């Protein structure tokens, strides 16, 4: 979700009118510095979701979600978390959430399950449950417009999370959210210490890697796979469809820990003033291109659950020439998923 261009609320200016700054990527959105007002490292004063005297991450707001699966990074030092969305009144929408790993549920809720979630789950007041219960949590629309995902403090003693983890959200049924907003209240020293230890993706707009990130003290960590390298060279000649030689190299220990592996090769077309008003992603399968259909990312994998090895080679043909691809500023990205289920993005591999 941090790859969306969020409107980050700044200080509450004169006349009580909120001003916003648009940033992309968690690293830029939530660096532990800022301007006076609703920003980390300074007095809050005017946050839409005040932190009760603590220091808060900026409020964020967004537009319609383009994906029915997304994730939100919950950093080390988080004391409370608020997140809500909006859908058309009188509709039914169901979501499943899980903290620290992808939810297991992919099928739509039955009528009785939907009713039970409406009356019994109450996830909107249970951030503590989300963090402490390693299970799928269901959130459903009440028909009135607002869809409350998460709210509340970690506990009554103002405690905070020991490490950063992703919160995964998968929509099981219903229309897409057309707006969302939220804010995070943090223990500033703990947050800043955790932020300094985060391993970032190689995206132009970095996010934390898709695994637990170290915190500012206490707790265990699940560091990303660090020894894997990906090198890319061009096999095709000028004027021919671009064909890449992608070599993925790992240690024997990494292979032993992940005997099966799935890989993805994706083309990103950045937003431009022509055909694309938002970034668009296409995924290269062995037999052609496809767009991601959530919640089934394996269906667009270049190789799915193949046997792992210390050296893996992929030679995709991208159908279009170097010149054609560069005309739209296309970037080719590479990622893989380990046996633990953690997805690792190696970022842009072409052009270099």
């Amino acid at each position: 979700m941090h790859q969306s261009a969020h409107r980050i609320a700044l200080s509450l200016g004169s006349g009580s009118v909120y001003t916003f700054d648009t940033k992309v990527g968690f690293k830029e959105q939530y660096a532990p510095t800022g301007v006076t007002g609703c920003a980390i490292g300074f007095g809050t004063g005017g946050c839409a979701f005040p932190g009760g005297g603590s220091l808060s991450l900026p409020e964020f707001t967004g537009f319609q979600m383009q994906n029915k699966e997304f994730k939100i990074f919950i950093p080390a030092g988080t004391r409370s978390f608020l997140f809500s969305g909006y859908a058309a009144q009188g509709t039914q929408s169901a979501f499943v959430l899980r903290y620290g790993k992808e939810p297991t549920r992919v099928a739509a809720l039955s009528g009785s399950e939907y009713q039970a979630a409406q009356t019994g789950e109450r996830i909107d007041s249970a951030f503590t449950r989300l963090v402490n219960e390693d299970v799928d949590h269901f959130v459903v629309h009440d028909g009135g417009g607002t869809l409350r995902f998460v709210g509340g403090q970690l506990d009554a003693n103002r405690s905070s999370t020991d490490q950063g983890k992703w919160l995964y959200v998968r929509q099981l049924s219903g229309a897409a959210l057309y707006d969302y907003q939220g804010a995070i209240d943090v223990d500033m020293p703990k947050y800043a210490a955790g932020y300094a230890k985060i391993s970032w993706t190689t995206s132009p707009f970095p996010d934390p890697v898709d695994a637990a990130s170290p915190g500012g003290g206490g707790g265990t960590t699940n560091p990303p796979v660090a020894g894997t390298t990906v090198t890319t060279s061009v096999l095709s000649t000028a004027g021919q469809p671009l064909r890449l030689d992608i070599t993925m190299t790992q240690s024997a220990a990494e292979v032993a820990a992940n005997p099966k592996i799935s890989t993805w090769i994706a083309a990103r077309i950045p937003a431009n003033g022509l055909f694309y008003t938002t970034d668009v992603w296409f995924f290269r399968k062995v037999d052609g291109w496809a767009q991601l259909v959530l919640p089934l990312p394996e269906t667009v994998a270049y190789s799915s659950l193949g046997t792992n090895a210390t050296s893996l080679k992929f030679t995709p043909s991208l159908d279009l020439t170097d010149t054609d691809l560069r005309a739209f500023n296309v970037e080719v990205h590479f990622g893989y998923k380990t046996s633990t289920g953690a997805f690792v993005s190696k970022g842009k591999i072409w052009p270099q």
Side-chain angles (χ1 to χ4, degrees), residues 193-209:
Y195 181 95
K197 297 178 182 179
I198 289 175
S199 296
W200 301 101
T201 64
T202 56
S203 164
F205 308 107
D207 282 334
V209 295

Side-chain angles (χ1 to χ4, degrees), residues 55 131 215 265 295 311:
L55 296 166
V131 171
I265 298 170
S311 180

Side-chain angles (χ1 to χ4, degrees), residues 89-331:
Q89 293 188 8
T91 61
Q92 289 192 345
S93 299
F95 296 78
V96 59
L97 289 70
R98 194 156 186 164
Y99 177 75
K101 65 179 68 171
E102 293 183 23
T104 59
R105 181 68 177 247
V106 295
L109 300 181
S110 66
S112 60
E113 287 176 318
Y114 194 97
Q115 180 63 39
Q118 277 190 318
T119 57
E121 280 292 320
R122 297 191 60 80
I123 193 67
D124 61 301
S125 60
F127 177 55
T128 184
R129 284 184 53 200
L130 198 67
V131 171
N132 293 316
E133 297 178 7
D134 185 21
V135 297
D136 288 356
H137 294 269
F138 298 114
V139 174
V140 298
H141 195 286
D142 63 5
T146 300
L147 199 152
R148 296 178 178 88
F149 286 92
V150 186
Q153 297 182 1
L154 186 62
D155 61 38
N157 298 318
R158 303 284 289 161
S159 301
S160 61
T161 54
D162 286 325
Q163 58 182 307
K165 289 188 178 182
W166 288 94
L167 168 64
Y168 298 85
V169 182
R170 174 183 296 147
Q171 186 166 4
L172 302 176
S173 62
L177 296 177
Y178 65 81
D179 196 13
Y180 55 88
Q181 64 179 18
I184 305 174
D185 170 56
V186 299
D187 176 310
M188 179 57 188
K190 196 170 182 180
Y191 173 79
Y195 181 95
K197 297 178 182 179
I198 289 175
S199 296
W200 301 101
T201 64
T202 56
S203 164
F205 308 107
D207 282 334
V209 295
D210 199 350
S213 294
T220 60
T221 63
N222 179 23
V225 178
T228 301
T229 61
V230 174
T231 58
T232 306
S233 60
V234 175
L235 295 177
S236 54
T237 58
Q240 297 297 314
L242 182 66
R243 186 163 175 255
L244 300 178
D245 184 319
I246 304 168
T247 302
M248 180 176 173
T249 305
Q250 307 168 86
S251 69
E254 289 166 344
V255 173
N258 301 286
K260 296 291 185 180
I261 194 166
S262 296
T263 60
W264 284 262
I265 298 170
R268 170 180 171 264
I269 303 178
N272 56 60
L274 297 174
F275 303 104
Y276 304 105
T277 57
T278 61
D279 289 0
V280 177
W281 291 83
F282 295 92
F283 292 82
R284 183 67 192 188
K285 301 172 65 175
V286 172
D287 58 354
W289 291 99
Q291 284 193 279
L292 180 61
V293 178
L294 294 170
L296 301 172
E298 291 284 342
T299 62
V300 296
Y302 187 80
S303 63
S304 181
L305 298 176
T307 301
N308 206 357
T310 55
S311 180
L312 296 171
K313 188 178 290 289
F314 312 97
T315 56
S317 175
L318 304 185
D319 294 344
L320 300 173
T321 67
D322 178 299
T323 301
D324 292 334
L325 293 167
R326 290 178 186 271
F328 281 88
N329 296 316
V330 173
E331 298 173 354

Side-chain angles (χ1 to χ4, degrees), residues 14-26:
S14 60
S16 299
V17 176
Y18 281 102
T19 57
F20 294 86
D21 187 12
T22 300
K23 295 182 178 181
V24 180
F26 190 93

Side-chain angles (χ1 to χ4, degrees), residues 66-90:
Q66 298 300 311
N67 298 310
K68 292 193 174 183
E69 276 192 341
F70 56 94
K71 59 187 179 179
I72 308 164
F73 189 67
I74 311 297
T78 298
R79 290 194 280 214
S80 65
F81 177 61
L82 298 156
F83 179 58
S84 63
Y86 298 89
Q89 293 188 8

